[in-house]
Amino acid sequence: GEDVEQSLFLSVREGDSSVINCTYTDSSSTYLYWYKQEPGAGLQLLTYIFSNMDMKQDQRLTVLLNKKDKHLSLRIADTQTGDSAIYFCAEGLGYQKVTFGTGTKLQVIP
Amino acid sequence: EPEVTQTPSHQVTQMGQEVILRCVPISNHLYFYWYRQILGQKVEFLVSFYNNEISEKSEIFDDQFSVERPDGSNFTLKIRSTKLEDSAMYFCASSEGQREQYFGPGTRLTVT
């Protein structure tokens, strides 16, 4: 079945870049997502990449996809304290279920 | 920007009671979903719904659960007889066809 794995915790200093990594197993996934969850809040769709792309950049966010290794990463440039949250990697086919990873808790140290 | 909304934000109920969680998906979306997140655990898929039918469901979505689109705007999840282990955050999501899914803010269900 589908499985998505992430490291549980990442700590960075304010102003540095953060890189959150993820591996997935379902090679048929069309969408690879990054969702952000702040404490007590819902799931905010941060960005996504189609499986036929290698890279997507959106302001401070860069998503890299290595389809051969089934590896996805999210880079946040110039990380701010407001970026502190849990980041979920997820994969899906668009109109079917999305499978989520365990989430990576990003702590930004001022 | 259009968004998915959910009510209530927090529901407390006693074991054995029925609850209905409500969602208003984004207006031009046709695919609707429910997920849940037990505290400290992964977000888990429950069910997807399209064209007034369930299109996919997980093993969590047993006979105690049902979904309905009672009118043109609402999408509901009913739990007939709640158990303690149903306590979780329940997220509704919607998508425009075979596109990315947008999630609501969630309803925190506490079963006592």
Side-chain angles (χ1 to χ4, degrees):
Chain A
E2 309 89 357
D3 195 21
V4 180
E5 297 290 337
Q6 303 175 238
S7 53
L8 292 179
F9 190 74
L10 176 67
S11 181
V12 297
R13 294 209 171 272
E14 191 174 16
D16 287 351
S17 291
S18 309
V19 179
I20 303 172
N21 294 299
C22 165
T23 56
Y24 62 97
T25 57
D26 190 350
S27 56
S28 65
S29 295
T30 310
Y31 286 82
L32 287 306
Y33 304 91
W34 286 102
Y35 286 89
K36 177 183 179 183
Q37 186 179 39
E38 296 183 64
L43 295 162
Q44 176 195 354
L45 177 62
L46 265 187
T47 186
Y48 62 92
I49 188 168
F50 293 113
S51 57
N52 61 357
M53 296 167 66
D54 298 325
M55 186 181 95
K56 181 178 180 182
Q57 188 150 5
D58 185 1
Q59 299 182 341
R60 292 190 298 122
L61 305 178
T62 303
V63 179
L64 294 177
L65 174 61
N66 181 328
K67 200 172 179 184
K68 176 175 161 290
D69 294 339
K70 299 193 187 70
H71 182 267
L72 184 74
S73 68
L74 173 71
R75 179 176 179 269
I76 306 172
D78 187 25
T79 313
Q80 303 297 306
T81 54
D83 295 323
S84 293
I86 299 176
Y87 290 81
F88 290 94
C89 172
E91 52 93 8
L93 288 170
Y95 60 94
Q96 295 181 2
K97 68 177 182 181
V98 172
T99 300
F100 285 80
T102 50
T104 298
K105 185 171 183 179
L106 175 64
Q107 179 188 46
V108 182
I109 304 164
Chain B
E1 187 175 323
E3 57 185 20
V4 177
T5 59
Q6 291 185 242
T7 54
S9 56
H10 190 192
Q11 173 95 45
V12 182
T13 190
Q14 288 190 327
M15 200 166 51
Q17 295 297 302
E18 175 184 285
V19 292
I20 298 176
L21 310 183
R22 291 184 166 79
C23 168
V24 179
I26 294 172
S27 62
N28 62 332
H29 286 188
L30 300 175
Y31 293 81
F32 315 115
Y33 315 83
W34 284 101
Y35 293 78
R36 77 170 185 193
Q37 184 183 30
I38 294 171
L39 188 64
Q41 296 187 23
K42 282 190 184 187
V43 177
E44 302 171 290
F45 169 78
L46 293 178
V47 66
S48 60
F49 190 85
Y50 169 70
N51 199 25
N52 281 321
E53 285 184 344
I54 289 174
S55 45
E56 189 180 5
K57 60 181 181 178
S58 71
E59 62 265 19
I60 302 167
F61 193 88
D62 61 23
D63 291 344
Q64 292 299 310
F65 291 89
S66 62
V67 288
E68 195 179 25
R69 187 151 163 83
D71 53 44
S73 59
N74 290 284
F75 179 52
T76 62
L77 174 70
K78 183 194 288 187
I79 310 174
R80 286 191 185 82
S81 177
T82 49
K83 306 192 238 338
L84 292 175
E85 55 264 37
D86 293 328
S87 294
M89 183 77 97
Y90 287 80
F91 293 105
C92 173
S94 68
S95 66
E96 182 188 357
Q98 298 181 29
R99 301 280 306 265
E100 64 278 13
Q101 293 183 22
Y102 290 88
F103 284 71
T107 293
R108 181 169 298 285
L109 176 65
T110 302
V111 183
T112 61

